[in-house]
Amino acid sequence: MRTLVEDYDIVVVGAGHAGCEAALAGARLGLNTVMFTVSVDSIALMPCNPNVGGSSKGHLVRELDALGGEMGKNIDKTFIQSKMLNCSKGPAVHSLRAQADKQAYSNEMRKTLENTPNLTIKQGEVTKLLVEDGKITGVKTYSGATYNCKAVVLCTGTYLKARCIYGDVSNYTGPNGLQAANYLTDSLKELGIEMFRFKTGTPARIAGNTIDYSKMEEQFGDERVVPFSFSTNPEDVQIEQKSCWLTYTNEKTHEIIRANLDRSPLYSGMIEGTGPRYCPSIEDKVVRFADKNRHQVFIEPEGLYTNEMYIGGMSSSLPEDVQEEMYHSVPGLEHAKIVKYAIEYDCINPRQLYPTLEFKKIKGLFSGGQFNGSSGYEEAAAQGLIAGINAALEVKGQEQLILDRSEAYIGVLIDDLVTKENHEPYRMMTSRAEYRLLLRQDNADLRLRKKGYQAGLISEEDYQKILTKEEQIKTEISRVEHTNIGANKEVQTLLESYNSTPLKSGTTLAELIRRPELSYEAIKPLDKERPELPWDVQEQVDINIKYDGYIRRQLKQVEQFKKLEAKKIPTDLDYEKVGSLRIEARQKLEAYRPISIGQASRISGVSPADISVLLVYLSSTK
């Protein structure tokens, strides 16, 4: 029997947020790319909360955009509310978050994919990987068709052997009732790939016209919206925004949950997968935080042309009747009408990957997204972009892109996944980034635009723009640092208006900016020679002057970090030959195969003494 055979450069398996970025990267880098999905309706699907960004996740999206990814541009076209979070704190933790019109987001991404040269979309289930002599050669689909290729990027998300569960009911189906992918896991295991079983959950969707908003607190978007993408004209995102709402659980809600814990598959053992620690179900929150008498519940619209509202903070896998009672106990939801599910799925142990997101044992096989044991659309998209870029660069025979922990949140994300032991879905947080004052969301373009240009995803025009921006910032900082100002009446009056200490003698404009109560914008009336500069340049001048001492300190720390990262370890090093290494360290190093001393030092079970032994050994064998 004859079957279809086709040839491509890159095969991408999955069309979620990781798959979309991987496929676009491959195609935009000039390679013939095909993206498989079990359903074209699942392209850029938002099965959980229809939003992009949030604390630390906003950093990932802006970094992804700076490198040439699509998520930031797509949410700028389809958001219905936008907020900059953590504005009462320092700029290191400011994070952009936008509520999406989920259907518009999916449609717009699909439109972009379908109009990208070199990219083909196919609806079909990939069931087998074809490997010869440790190198990927292609894939097979359920129909028996063969697709020969030079690289594969796995972005299967939560679809592998997916099972939707609530109460004692389970159904082998993917998110939103879409088809699960039930065969690829067996092929992966045959190739010696270690698999995990993880769980994710999503709260109910509730009909908006059954909610009593008068019992809730209205939540508005920002008056002045900041776009996610550095390519978006800020004026294009100043739209009329939809409101969100805030309510709370109460003791009655918690009593209902506690009385039915024995019916929760989380506690009965029916759910085998491990769930995300930092996005727990409402059952988990009530049990783990027994001292709290209420939890926040966010009511967020799913789009402009749907009546559905997402109920943030109430993820649950309890039976239908219990969920009905539980939701109806919350102020404003007394008469709400509901739909719900939880889902568990197969994913890999990410320690099997290099920081390039290529499998250590199979050349040309890359992996990105929730399949790597992470959670969240933003984490998925960031990994998909890096996996797609590196798959393309490998096919081209060029040096691959690795971002380290001092360069990007994306670097922190990937390093944590491939270096640390993860026994639950990984979620990005600002606290995970040691150098977060340097890795702000506002300077992602300055940090990463050049790397995107070198990889081939950033145009010459955008590259020249970032060079101009750098020069403008540098010139203006120098001017402000060297502009003196006297203790005249105009100066003293302005300082008094900000409750700032009067001057006793002359100073520089920069010294005034460094005062906590003042800023680059605040001293504008005193700066007679101030040039007209774009708002983003002004922002960088202000932050760099105000936090100069802290930034210098972190740069020194990064210098030490880079020294350890520069000490490379041969990928074929025989750790049995490294004398004086402890048994645990030898086992861990053998399992993880770190590419540098820096990465080795972050592996659990490898002590500073082991690192010293390794350094001596590498020095003696040069």
Side-chain angles (χ1 to χ4, degrees):
M1 177 175 146
R2 294 180 63 187
T3 57
L4 179 71
V5 177
E6 291 186 1
D7 296 327
Y8 288 90
D9 293 316
I10 297 174
V11 169
V12 176
V13 184
H17 303 284
C20 289
E21 296 292 350
L24 286 169
R28 287 167 172 171
L29 290 174
L31 297 172
N32 194 11
T33 302
V34 60
M35 180 176 74
F36 284 94
T37 172
V38 292
S39 169
V40 291
D41 292 331
S42 69
I43 291 175
L45 180 69
M46 291 181 156
C48 198
N49 195 345
N51 76 65
V52 167
S55 185
S56 76
K57 292 167 178 278
H59 291 67
L60 291 173
V61 181
R62 298 208 98 200
E63 289 180 352
L64 181 151
D65 180 76
L67 288 166
E70 193 65 26
M71 180 176 262
K73 296 182 180 71
N74 207 59
I75 188 61
D76 283 346
K77 297 174 192 172
T78 58
F79 78 96
I80 57 179
Q81 191 195 83
S82 181
K83 264 187 176 181
M84 186 69 76
L85 305 182
N86 305 323
C87 286
S88 62
K89 301 176 182 176
V93 294
H94 292 179
S95 290
L96 197 55
R97 181 186 188 273
Q99 195 72 17
D101 182 317
K102 66 186 293 184
Q103 195 58 54
Y105 185 93
S106 176
N107 292 344
E108 192 65 37
M109 186 65 84
R110 182 172 172 180
K111 179 180 168 185
T112 299
L113 291 158
E114 289 177 343
N115 288 282
T116 297
N118 307 315
L119 180 54
T120 302
I121 300 171
K122 284 186 178 285
Q123 182 166 292
E125 182 182 347
V126 171
T127 57
K128 188 176 180 64
L129 299 180
L130 305 177
V131 177
E132 291 179 15
D133 300 323
K135 188 178 188 314
I136 198 80
T137 61
V139 303
K140 277 199 170 185
T141 63
Y142 184 78
S143 68
T146 298
Y147 296 87
N148 299 316
C149 63
K150 299 166 186 173
V152 170
V153 185
L154 297 175
C155 302
T156 59
T158 60
Y159 283 83
L160 281 196
K161 291 197 172 177
R163 183 169 68 132
C164 291
I165 307 161
Y166 50 95
D168 56 2
V169 177
S170 74
N171 184 19
Y172 281 88
T173 179
N176 280 23
L178 293 168
Q179 177 187 332
N182 292 318
Y183 300 98
L184 187 56
T185 291
D186 295 334
S187 177
L188 292 167
K189 287 181 176 177
E190 285 171 12
L191 293 169
I193 293 173
E194 184 186 351
M195 306 295 292
F196 283 159
R197 189 79 173 158
F198 278 174
K199 178 196 83 76
T200 187
T202 187
R205 307 301 190 276
I206 286 178
N209 57 4
T210 66
I211 295 173
D212 184 354
Y213 298 104
S214 67
K215 297 180 180 179
M216 302 177 178
E217 301 167 25
E218 191 167 5
Q219 308 286 300
F220 301 99
D222 287 342
E223 193 172 318
R224 177 76 183 174
V225 173
V226 176
F228 265 105
S229 175
F230 293 99
S231 304
T232 299
N233 182 341
E235 297 310 313
D236 292 342
V237 292
Q238 309 311 319
I239 64 168
E240 186 177 340
Q241 300 179 60
K242 295 275 281 185
S243 288
C244 297
W245 306 84
L246 175 64
T247 184
Y248 297 88
T249 62
N250 51 55
E251 194 50 47
K252 184 181 177 184
T253 317
H254 302 175
E255 284 173 11
I256 293 166
I257 292 167
R258 283 193 288 264
N260 289 279
L261 282 175
D262 60 320
R263 299 181 63 195
S264 168
L266 280 175
Y267 291 91
S268 68
M270 186 174 176
I271 287 182
E272 300 164 9
T274 307
R277 177 189 302 263
Y278 300 102
C279 189
S281 69
I282 189 65
E283 301 99 285
D284 265 351
K285 284 195 272 193
V286 169
V287 171
R288 284 162 51 186
F289 308 107
D291 57 318
K292 289 189 177 289
N293 56 18
R294 70 176 192 172
H295 294 284
Q296 288 182 323
V297 179
F298 294 96
I299 314 298
E300 300 167 321
E302 295 244 304
L304 295 176
Y305 305 104
T306 176
N307 198 27
E308 286 187 7
M309 304 293 281
Y310 178 90
I311 313 301
M314 291 279 278
S315 170
S316 177
S317 53
L318 283 161
E320 284 181 288
D321 61 309
V322 179
Q323 290 202 38
E324 196 90 11
E325 189 181 1
M326 175 183 79
Y327 279 107
H328 288 170
S329 70
V330 175
L333 303 182
E334 292 88 350
H335 306 289
K337 294 186 178 177
I338 306 165
V339 184
K340 80 294 289 175
Y341 70 82
I343 187 167
E344 65 176 20
Y345 55 95
D346 286 346
C347 57
I348 62 161
N349 182 342
R351 78 173 187 190
Q352 300 165 100
L353 305 172
Y354 288 120
T356 58
L357 296 181
E358 183 177 26
F359 278 85
K360 294 171 182 175
K361 292 182 178 178
I362 304 173
K363 191 165 180 58
L365 180 61
F366 294 80
S367 180
Q370 285 191 251
F371 181 62
N372 285 351
S374 64
S375 66
Y377 308 146
E378 301 83 3
E379 290 92 334
Q383 293 171 66
L385 178 69
I386 297 300
I389 288 173
N390 283 330
L393 293 176
E394 177 157 307
V395 171
K396 290 180 164 189
Q398 297 175 6
E399 185 180 352
Q400 294 184 339
L401 173 66
I402 295 177
L403 299 175
D404 69 40
R405 302 181 73 89
S406 70
E407 294 174 314
Y409 268 70
I410 295 175
V412 175
L413 163 67
I414 293 174
D415 187 66
D416 280 352
L417 285 171
V418 305
T419 303
K420 298 180 179 178
E421 293 187 10
N422 298 292
H423 299 295
E424 62 190 36
Y426 178 95
R427 182 179 180 179
M428 192 71 243
M429 294 182 291
T430 52
S431 59
R432 296 189 191 273
E434 304 93 320
Y435 311 113
R436 57 184 173 273
L437 184 54
L438 303 178
L439 308 183
R440 305 183 309 276
Q441 56 90 30
D442 58 77
N443 68 358
D445 58 336
L446 294 162
R447 290 185 281 116
L448 299 175
R449 230 13 168 196
K450 290 177 184 174
K451 289 183 180 291
Y453 176 72
Q454 289 162 2
L457 288 180
I458 296 299
S459 68
E460 182 66 34
E461 181 185 359
D462 282 341
Y463 177 62
Q464 291 302 324
K465 281 180 183 175
I466 204 66
L467 295 181
T468 300
K469 183 176 177 179
E470 281 182 337
E471 187 57 38
Q472 287 177 323
I473 294 166
K474 181 181 174 183
T475 300
E476 181 62 357
I477 288 174
S478 177
R479 185 190 71 81
V480 172
E481 291 277 13
H482 294 92
T483 299
N484 292 301
I485 195 161
N488 57 50
K489 185 177 180 182
E490 182 187 9
V491 172
Q492 306 293 34
T493 300
L494 183 134
L495 295 179
E496 185 181 336
S497 70
Y498 284 95
N499 294 319
S500 192
T501 306
L503 290 179
K504 292 182 179 178
S505 61
T507 188
T508 65
L509 290 176
E511 284 304 317
L512 290 182
I513 292 171
R514 288 191 180 99
R515 294 188 177 191
E517 65 277 8
L518 298 179
S519 65
Y520 180 74
E521 181 61 25
I523 66 162
K524 184 176 180 179
L526 307 177
D527 189 355
K528 309 305 180 187
E529 304 298 322
R530 178 169 168 160
E532 284 295 324
L533 293 169
W535 69 270
D536 55 338
V537 171
Q538 296 179 42
E539 179 183 43
Q540 292 306 309
V541 171
D542 187 64
I543 291 172
N544 278 280
I545 290 174
K546 194 173 282 292
Y547 295 93
D548 179 57
Y550 299 103
I551 289 171
R552 288 177 188 273
R553 191 181 308 159
Q554 283 218 333
L555 286 171
K556 285 183 179 178
Q557 293 168 352
V558 167
E559 200 176 319
Q560 295 303 312
F561 164 82
K562 292 279 193 185
K563 287 178 181 177
L564 291 178
E565 297 301 302
K567 296 182 188 296
K568 300 300 179 185
I569 301 175
T571 54
D572 60 350
L573 179 64
D574 183 355
Y575 289 99
E576 291 296 328
K577 293 182 178 178
V578 184
S580 302
L581 266 184
R582 293 177 309 111
I583 293 174
E584 182 188 10
R586 187 174 285 118
Q587 290 172 342
K588 290 290 181 70
L589 290 166
E590 185 64 44
Y592 280 87
R593 290 263 147 208
I595 63 170
S596 70
I597 289 293
Q599 188 186 1
S601 69
R602 295 188 293 276
I603 296 173
S604 173
V606 178
S607 70
D610 297 318
I611 294 298
S612 296
V613 168
L614 197 52
L615 281 168
V616 170
Y617 178 81
L618 291 173
S619 178
S620 67
T621 56
K622 273 187 178 177

